[in-house]
Amino acid sequence: MSSGFATVKAVLSGDTVILMGVPKNGPPPERQVSLSYVKAPKFANNQKAYQDEEPFAWESREYLRKLIIGKKVKFNIFKLIFFILKSPNCL
């Protein structure tokens, strides 16, 4: 698990942000982070699939953007890895 403080550089959706660290001998490090236990409406993949966009996708993104863009936040990164084992004894 990694943790620290960073500034919110961008909000990609209602549940995903880009965090920017402190510059050290070059450009600042950036990391895309999805918020735990938050499931925001999804955007369409392209303009032709506009019908596939979930309701309130833009509104949820804008709400989060107005709330945290440019602010310093504390974060904790949890990495979970799931393995599916195939066994001849499984049903």
Side-chain angles (χ1 to χ4, degrees):
M1 177 180 83
S2 63
S3 63
F5 291 91
T7 303
V8 179
K9 178 183 177 185
V11 176
L12 302 180
S13 67
D15 59 4
T16 306
V17 298
I18 295 181
L19 299 179
M20 179 176 62
V22 178
K24 295 177 183 173
N25 298 328
E30 294 181 0
R31 184 171 201 159
Q32 181 175 322
V33 177
S34 294
L35 305 176
S36 295
Y37 305 106
V38 176
K39 184 173 180 346
K42 300 297 176 198
F43 289 102
N45 289 336
N46 57 41
Q47 290 180 350
K48 293 180 182 178
Y50 179 72
Q51 314 74 300
D52 298 335
E53 190 167 274
E54 294 181 13
F56 302 106
W58 288 100
E59 290 84 350
S60 67
R61 176 183 167 264
E62 281 302 301
Y63 181 83
L64 185 61
R65 187 185 67 79
K66 289 177 182 178
L67 186 67
I68 65 170
I69 195 79
K71 293 187 179 175
K72 189 174 182 179
V73 296
K74 182 178 181 180
F75 66 91
N76 292 316
I77 304 293
F78 299 98
K79 294 183 182 180
L80 299 176
I81 300 173
F82 295 98
F83 292 98
I84 299 175
L85 300 175
K86 294 186 178 181
S87 170
N89 298 333
C90 292
L91 295 175

